[in-house]
Amino acid sequence: MMDDKDEEAANLKKEFVWMLRKQVHKELKRIHSILVECAHRFPVPLYNNEGKKQDKFVLTTPPEQLKCIVTLTGDSITHADINFKVQRQQTQVQRTSITQDSPWKLQQVQDAANHLQTAIYHIDDVDSSYKFKSSDEVMHILKLILNALQRGRTALVLPRKKPIDELMKSRNMKSLSPNLPEDLAISFYIQSHKLIFAAYQLTNVQGTMKFEKWQAECSVPWLNEVLVLFTVALQLCQQLKDKVSVFAQYKDFNVEHIPSSEVTPTAATPT
């Protein structure tokens, strides 16, 4: 006859096996559907998404220190009319443009899409027919998914800062027509849900290099949607990881020898 402690242990083991065989797959399926929805928001080919989205934005700062009208197609700026004021002996307006023949690539968008694709593939690798054998195995899969999602979100939220000389020599600067003078540079980048246009000027003031920057920004609706879905998926992954970690003490328990009829827990509450 089982005492209370043995009965509690037996019930916990049943709950553990039920979680591995049923609940984990249910939660992964839920996360998968959110990630596919996120993929379909991206303007690039991704997980059966054609990625042909095109948007037009106006970025400006009062009193029109900068003005830029851009067409964003996929992960590239395919057209832009750019005007910004620079200080020489007197204020001058600098004009240049980007054309479809030589688009300006926003690498952050493709990087985030690649990480999202990786996260989806990790879930695809353990479909509903796959039988998890231990909490460690589930934790390993969840760690891979979480890492991919965190890298994807970070690619959009925290743009890599580049020194001015790297910006001036960047491949994207060759997209401009006409080219800018050597003391000027521009950049486009994503930061959270915004597209940012920045202009930079280097001036030599009595032998000291002076650096000036101006920027304009606009909100990009699909970016906001993508970041919300990234965040929801990360939260669900973390919640599942927390649930599974409770059963880490049973990592050596052999779930393969438990009949399916015995895996329904008496104390578990499915969510």
Side-chain angles (χ1 to χ4, degrees):
M1 183 175 177
M2 282 189 180
D3 61 23
D4 289 345
K5 189 171 289 187
D6 289 339
E7 187 175 355
E8 183 182 355
N11 285 335
L12 280 172
K13 286 180 179 179
K14 286 181 181 180
E15 187 176 347
F16 168 62
V17 179
W18 167 80
M19 174 164 279
L20 289 189
R21 290 190 178 170
K22 304 291 183 182
Q23 186 71 355
V24 169
H25 283 297
K26 180 182 175 182
E27 294 295 329
L28 286 177
K29 184 177 180 181
R30 184 181 174 194
I31 294 164
H32 187 274
S33 66
I34 289 169
L35 298 186
V36 170
E37 187 178 345
C38 185
H40 290 166
R41 296 288 201 282
F42 268 80
V44 295
L46 180 64
Y47 210 82
N48 302 322
N49 165 31
E50 291 184 357
K52 295 181 178 177
K53 186 175 177 62
Q54 186 174 86
D55 291 303
K56 192 170 185 177
F57 301 102
V58 178
L59 299 89
T60 186
T61 58
E64 295 203 347
Q65 173 72 40
L66 308 176
K67 185 172 183 181
C68 181
I69 303 171
V70 305
T71 301
L72 183 59
T73 307
D75 64 346
S76 298
I77 294 169
T78 51
H79 184 83
D81 291 318
I82 300 164
N83 299 279
F84 60 98
K85 294 176 183 177
V86 295
Q87 207 60 42
R88 307 284 191 200
Q89 284 76 20
Q90 57 186 19
T91 301
Q92 297 179 2
V93 177
Q94 192 72 46
R95 292 183 173 85
T96 187
S97 64
I98 297 169
T99 65
Q100 197 163 358
D101 295 336
S102 187
W104 183 295
K105 188 171 178 63
L106 293 168
Q107 187 61 44
Q108 290 169 265
V109 175
Q110 189 61 60
D111 288 347
N114 291 344
H115 293 310
L116 176 60
Q117 183 80 78
T118 298
I120 295 173
Y121 282 162
H122 285 315
I123 301 178
D124 287 341
D125 285 342
V126 288
D127 62 19
S128 57
S129 64
Y130 184 84
K131 291 185 178 180
F132 289 105
K133 299 177 181 63
S134 69
S135 57
D136 280 352
E137 188 181 12
V138 180
M139 296 288 273
H140 176 69
I141 293 294
L142 289 174
K143 183 179 179 181
L144 293 175
I145 298 167
L146 279 165
N147 286 346
L149 292 178
Q150 286 164 347
R151 286 194 296 268
R153 188 178 183 279
T154 299
L156 298 174
V157 174
L158 295 173
R160 186 175 74 84
K161 292 185 178 180
K162 298 177 182 177
I164 186 67
D165 57 337
E166 185 178 337
L167 284 170
M168 290 177 165
K169 296 172 184 174
S170 72
R171 180 183 62 186
N172 279 330
M173 285 290 289
K174 297 179 174 62
S175 300
L176 302 178
S177 177
N179 291 329
L180 292 177
E182 289 185 358
D183 63 336
L184 300 177
I186 66 166
S187 67
F188 291 93
Y189 58 92
I190 301 294
Q191 187 163 26
S192 197
H193 61 93
K194 295 176 180 177
L195 172 64
I196 295 176
F197 163 60
Y200 313 86
Q201 182 180 18
L202 276 177
T203 53
N204 189 329
V205 180
Q206 297 179 343
T208 301
M209 295 305 292
K210 184 181 176 185
F211 169 74
E212 290 190 84
K213 175 185 176 182
W214 308 273
Q215 74 177 47
E217 59 188 43
C218 67
S219 183
V220 179
W222 69 261
L223 274 171
N224 191 54
E225 295 167 6
V226 159
L227 288 169
V228 167
L229 292 167
F230 261 119
T231 302
V232 171
L234 279 163
Q235 289 172 344
L236 290 175
C237 276
Q238 188 60 52
Q239 287 170 11
L240 180 56
K241 186 180 176 185
D242 292 343
K243 288 179 185 178
V244 175
S245 67
V246 172
F247 298 95
Q249 59 187 306
Y250 302 111
K251 66 179 69 174
D252 298 324
F253 187 62
N254 191 339
V255 301
E256 293 180 291
H257 297 158
I258 302 296
S260 296
S261 60
E262 296 182 19
V263 302
T264 303
T266 56
T269 304
T271 56

